Amino acid sequence: METRMTNQKLKIMEHLQKVRTHPTAEMVYHIVSKDLPAISLATVYRNLNLLAEQGKILRLEINGEYHYDGFCDSHQHLVCTNCGKIMDLGQKEISNYAMKKIKSSDFELKSVRIIFYGVCKNCKEK
Amino acid sequence: METRMTNQKLKIMEHLQKVRTHPTAEMVYHIVSKDLPAISLATVYRNLNLLAEQGKILRLEINGEYHYDGFCDSHQHLVCTNCGKIMDLGQKEISNYAMKKIKSSDFELKSVRIIFYGVCKNCKEK
DNA sequence: ATTCATGCAAAGGGTTTGCAGGAAA
DNA sequence: TTTCCTGCAAACCCTTTGCATGAAT
């Protein structure tokens, strides 16, 4: 299930591995366009989906759109319900605990997604 | 933040409290239409959003669309990556553990959402 | 009587897809 | 050379919105 390497895919991958934000396809497109002015948004979408299927990046469903995350190690997300900001949380024990608890024979467990909702520091101060 | 009671809102609420599935707006519309043939999809959306804002139902983002859940007590979801089926999981300890672990002063924590991904029994057998 | 919710239809926004040309293997 | 990927534009789908009517308080 390996796919052909292209400049577009490479730049997209590199960008996601560089930042610790959780950009949408549009945001990735905007950034990668600086290096590859001719790239199209459709290509960005196709590559993001491809990479996600291959398990090389994560695709998160937050605030009604997809956000992509270049880091696949076990972590969680914090989402501000006021400004929409997404932050990382590195508490492996939480995910581990959850995964261990679910030992159902009826369900072949693959992964967990844990999202915390609340109000971020910035929004709280206002 | 109470809103006016209408027949439409009532039937939507009642339906969600009756089933343990996680219908989309479209599905709710389809069911509620049997009782209220004149109801519109827009009304269903408006009421579902209203109820979710008021904390009376949950709005889940799964498989690229919103699913609604009439049960707000602490629970988790299982999602089959093959057929898209959503199931409930009632392991309060998992959510409790997660919430307890996050005691950040920088973030005013409100809730957790925990989703397990994998392959359901039905899909596994094929 | 006033305010708010509804139905309808149209618009919106994010994501996917068909196709012909072009790049990777 | 063959296969796969790309760019472009159009299509898609879910969700939201504006407006005039009708229902709830």
Side-chain angles (χ1 to χ4, degrees):
Chain A
M1 195 240 214
E2 266 309 297
T3 51
R4 194 169 284 183
M5 181 50 65
T6 65
N7 238 305
Q8 292 88 333
K9 190 185 293 177
L10 188 66
K11 295 289 183 194
I12 290 169
M13 193 69 211
E14 281 178 357
H15 176 61
L16 285 179
Q17 291 178 336
K18 193 156 42 189
V19 303
R20 297 252 35 168
T21 55
H22 307 79
T24 60
E26 193 79 46
M27 293 167 180
V28 172
Y29 171 65
H30 182 244
I31 297 292
V32 174
S33 289
K34 291 177 184 168
D35 274 40
L36 305 170
I39 197 173
S40 85
L41 183 54
T43 297
V44 173
Y45 270 107
R46 276 187 287 234
N47 278 309
L48 289 170
N49 286 345
L50 221 56
L51 292 166
E53 280 167 26
Q54 298 173 351
K56 292 176 181 166
I57 65 174
L58 298 180
R59 185 168 84 161
L60 313 170
E61 306 189 51
I62 296 174
N63 299 329
E65 59 192 346
Y66 291 123
H67 290 257
Y68 301 88
D69 187 333
F71 296 83
C72 295
D73 55 310
S74 166
H75 66 288
Q76 308 80 38
H77 295 100
L78 244 57
V79 176
C80 178
T81 52
N82 191 251
C83 68
K85 191 178 173 191
I86 304 172
M87 290 152 282
D88 279 332
L89 212 71
Q91 316 242 134
K92 283 203 179 60
E93 326 85 70
I94 299 178
S95 299
N96 290 345
Y97 181 83
M99 289 293 276
K100 252 178 254 166
K101 273 277 178 181
I102 311 301
K103 283 287 179 251
S104 166
S105 56
D106 288 359
F107 194 85
E108 187 182 322
L109 185 57
K110 292 270 179 65
S111 62
V112 221
R113 219 43 85 71
I114 301 180
I115 301 180
F116 293 92
Y117 294 91
V119 183
C120 74
K121 193 180 182 181
N122 235 2
C123 288
K124 214 170 36 168
E125 286 168 355
K126 286 166 193 168
Chain B
M1 196 240 215
E2 266 310 296
T3 51
R4 192 168 287 182
M5 181 50 65
T6 65
N7 239 304
Q8 292 88 334
K9 190 184 293 176
L10 188 64
K11 294 289 182 192
I12 291 169
M13 195 67 211
E14 282 179 357
H15 175 62
L16 284 178
Q17 291 178 337
K18 193 155 42 190
V19 302
R20 295 254 35 170
T21 54
H22 307 79
T24 60
E26 193 80 44
M27 294 167 179
V28 173
Y29 171 65
H30 182 244
I31 297 292
V32 175
S33 289
K34 292 177 184 168
D35 274 42
L36 305 170
I39 197 174
S40 86
L41 183 55
T43 297
V44 173
Y45 271 107
R46 276 187 288 234
N47 277 309
L48 288 170
N49 286 345
L50 221 56
L51 293 166
E53 279 167 27
Q54 298 173 350
K56 293 176 180 165
I57 65 173
L58 297 181
R59 185 167 84 161
L60 313 170
E61 305 190 51
I62 296 174
N63 299 330
E65 58 192 346
Y66 291 122
H67 291 256
Y68 301 87
D69 187 334
F71 296 83
C72 295
D73 54 310
S74 166
H75 67 288
Q76 308 80 38
H77 294 100
L78 242 55
V79 176
C80 177
T81 51
N82 191 251
C83 68
K85 192 178 172 192
I86 304 172
M87 291 152 283
D88 279 334
L89 212 71
Q91 316 243 135
K92 282 202 179 59
E93 325 86 70
I94 299 179
S95 300
N96 290 345
Y97 180 83
M99 289 293 276
K100 252 178 254 166
K101 273 277 178 182
I102 311 301
K103 283 287 179 249
S104 165
S105 55
D106 287 359
F107 194 85
E108 188 182 321
L109 186 57
K110 292 270 180 62
S111 62
V112 221
R113 221 41 85 71
I114 302 180
I115 301 181
F116 293 91
Y117 293 92
V119 183
C120 74
K121 193 181 182 180
N122 234 4
C123 289
K124 214 170 35 167
E125 287 168 355
K126 287 166 193 168

